[in-house]
Amino acid sequence: MTKINVKKFGGTSVGSFERIEAVADAIARAHHEGERQVLVLSAMAGETNRLYAMAANIDPVASARELDMLVTAGEQVSIALMAMALERRGIKARSLLGSQVKIRTNNQFGRASIELVETNGLIGLLDAGVVPVIAGFQGVDGEGNITTLGRGGSDTTAVAVAAALNAAECQIFTDVCGVFTTDPNIDPNAQKLDSISFEAMYEMARQGAKVLHPDSVACARRHGVVLRVLSSFEPGSGTLIRFDEPDHTVSGIVGIAVSRGQGLVSVSGVVDNPPAEVALFKTLADACVDTDLVAQQPSERMLSFSLAQAEVNKVLALIDTLTGAHALGAVNYETELAKVSLISTGKPVMAELAARVTELLAAQNIRVRLVSTAEIKLSVMIDEKDLQQAVRSLHRAFNLNKV
Ligand code: ADP
Ligand code: ASP
Ligand code: MG
């Protein structure tokens, strides 16, 4: 039996009628060559953002369930158009929502995890020569509610479907020709990698390299899925996410990931005040706020944490509710920050790396607000306006520029 390939096309790849037609042509060619293909699509570029913005007009703090119901509409449009484009080419195709495939998730609206992908229906379609065209990013919980997997989650749908079908490859088609040493839209000297280890790719994704959703990398690793990132605009072999050997680099740094739109909130009177610290983190957790880098400054008993800029107002309001009961001190915040993270092979001496990075940035008058290290990554929080300069100079300094 011919092996199955799962092919995922992101928003830009299906962002216009021309792009849908171009993808349909490529799928038709492969179909006529005998390939068994399952498609997973994102919404057309900009559509998911448009839907979130619509919700904000009605209720800026709309319930997560209703948001998921709304924003999954984008993928319903793209899959139907793609199925039509394939049928016009004489290829049998069937568009399917997550709930129709039965992509079962937990009930964490807005960031659900896939628990199960039902394969009987998909296999039946493939056996009948039909190309399934699945809506990415969405699933259904045990009670029949529609859920989403988090922004960029169509990658994860594709990998989960590939794992369930035991596919030969899961191919993520996007608007760049693979995984680069850093975002090629920030640094034109970024190099395309022929392959990258799962370990480094997962950390790159977690630290903001949008090219793959972090859950998709974790899921592929867990299930042994062969995962490749390719361009839907030009031919090429893309980047293979590798299971075997570690990454080889000159400087010990594999790549640099960036995360824009960050905020920093500092609350004094928290350190050495365990009830306040517990109450603060519990309140944030109950409101599903993801804190990222956390730092303590004993002198002012100040606790600082970074988070998505969009969450800052909500968090300030939450902290306000704790101030009286826990004798919290001054609360400060900053926005328009960006996180730059260096991902290493192996485990470098982080203090040395931190010294080198902060020295390099200081030499260019780039202020570092926060430094954080973990096993294979070092992150610095800087002003968003300095992002491009910081990335380009670090990329050069760590010998990542193309030669
Ligand atoms: P899609 O809509 O296809 O899912 P995304 O916008 O989610 O595409 O991801 C592709 C984008 O990821 C690229 O256009 C690029 O700007 C960005 N990106 C960030 N870091 C990297 C990286 N290290 N390698 C390649 N692309 C990256
Ligand atoms: N359409 C969704 C988003 O914009 C999912 C995806 O594109 O992967 O986040
Ligand atoms: Mg994406």
Side-chain angles (χ1 to χ4, degrees):
M1 182 61 85
T2 330
K3 283 282 196 181
I4 300 163
N5 283 326
V6 175
K7 301 183 178 182
K8 178 259 173 178
F9 294 87
T12 328
S13 304
V14 294
S16 64
F17 300 128
E18 292 73 24
R19 289 305 309 154
I20 290 176
E21 301 283 10
V23 170
D25 281 340
I27 300 301
R29 266 196 306 278
H31 182 82
H32 292 310
E33 283 164 12
E35 233 189 273
R36 302 214 301 164
Q37 308 170 90
V38 175
L39 307 191
V40 173
L41 302 189
S42 292
M44 294 170 78
E47 192 56 21
T48 311
N49 286 346
R50 190 181 72 87
L51 294 167
Y52 275 113
M54 283 175 79
N57 273 314
I58 298 290
D59 181 359
V61 287
S63 85
R65 181 194 184 276
E66 298 313 325
L67 274 174
D68 279 2
M69 180 63 95
L70 176 69
V71 300
T72 46
E75 274 74 11
Q76 183 160 352
V77 173
S78 58
I79 56 169
L81 291 174
M82 183 62 74
M84 290 173 200
L86 290 171
E87 299 233 310
R88 247 183 77 96
R89 285 163 176 73
I91 292 167
K92 287 186 275 179
R94 177 82 57 83
S95 60
L96 296 163
L97 297 172
S99 55
Q100 292 175 306
V101 176
K102 290 204 183 62
I103 297 179
R104 270 277 306 279
T105 71
N106 62 13
N107 63 0
Q108 281 257 326
F109 297 111
R111 52 164 135 167
S113 302
I114 296 178
E115 290 172 343
L116 189 97
V117 177
E118 185 62 65
T119 53
N120 287 346
L122 294 176
I123 291 169
L125 289 171
L126 286 167
D127 288 347
V130 179
V131 178
V133 186
I134 301 172
F137 175 55
Q138 58 179 258
V140 61
D141 74 4
E143 265 128 55
N145 297 300
I146 305 298
T147 57
T148 66
L149 310 177
R151 296 306 304 266
S154 297
D155 299 336
T156 305
T157 307
V159 170
V161 169
L165 290 172
N166 199 14
E169 257 194 37
C170 180
Q171 302 172 341
I172 306 291
F173 287 90
T174 182
D175 56 3
V176 288
C177 64
V179 178
F180 285 69
T181 45
T182 193
D183 186 340
N185 290 315
I186 294 181
D187 189 345
N189 286 309
Q191 288 184 65
K192 201 269 284 180
L193 300 167
D194 291 334
S195 69
I196 182 170
S197 69
F198 263 98
E199 192 182 26
M201 187 66 242
Y202 181 58
E203 201 56 42
M204 289 275 281
R206 265 169 38 97
Q207 301 308 327
K210 254 177 48 180
V211 64
L212 282 176
H213 190 253
D215 291 356
S216 73
V217 184
C219 180
R221 185 178 209 174
R222 206 164 47 243
H223 296 284
V225 172
V226 179
L227 180 60
R228 190 183 289 278
V229 177
L230 306 127
S231 166
S232 69
F233 292 76
E234 52 184 271
S237 54
T239 302
L240 178 71
I241 320 303
R242 225 183 31 242
F243 280 94
D244 46 15
E245 339 104 54
D247 302 278
H248 300 291
T249 69
V250 182
S251 65
I253 299 300
V254 188
I256 301 176
V258 308
S259 196
R260 299 171 196 267
Q262 300 290 300
L264 191 63
V265 173
S266 305
V267 192
S268 54
V270 178
V271 176
D272 284 337
N273 181 359
E277 195 161 354
V278 171
L280 177 62
F281 281 119
K282 202 172 167 328
T283 307
L284 296 176
D286 288 347
C288 293
V289 174
D290 258 336
T291 54
D292 184 11
L293 314 183
V294 180
Q296 296 190 339
Q297 275 170 267
S299 55
E300 298 166 55
R301 296 167 68 212
M302 182 144 83
L303 187 88
S304 302
F305 53 90
S306 71
L307 70 175
Q309 176 174 299
E311 302 268 52
V312 167
N313 281 338
K314 174 166 126 187
V315 166
L316 293 176
L318 289 170
I319 293 173
D320 214 32
T321 64
L322 300 175
T323 311
H326 293 282
L328 299 182
V331 180
N332 294 303
Y333 72 94
E334 285 183 82
T335 54
E336 290 173 32
L337 303 176
K339 185 176 65 166
V340 176
S341 305
L342 279 75
I343 316 305
S344 68
T345 75
K347 297 169 182 67
V349 179
M350 280 299 175
E352 271 172 26
L353 189 60
R356 193 163 165 210
V357 168
T358 45
E359 191 182 10
L360 235 143
L361 296 176
Q364 297 176 71
N365 291 324
I366 296 176
R367 233 181 97 192
V368 174
R369 308 305 171 88
L370 209 64
V371 182
S372 144
T373 61
E375 218 175 15
I376 62 158
K377 70 106 194 181
L378 176 138
S379 302
V380 290
M381 193 65 81
I382 59 172
D383 281 326
E384 197 159 353
K385 68 170 175 46
D386 295 328
L387 181 63
Q388 181 159 313
Q389 193 189 342
V391 169
R392 289 183 182 189
S393 63
L394 290 168
H395 195 267
R396 192 180 332 106
F398 284 92
N399 285 316
L400 293 170
N401 277 8
K402 51 182 175 213
V403 278

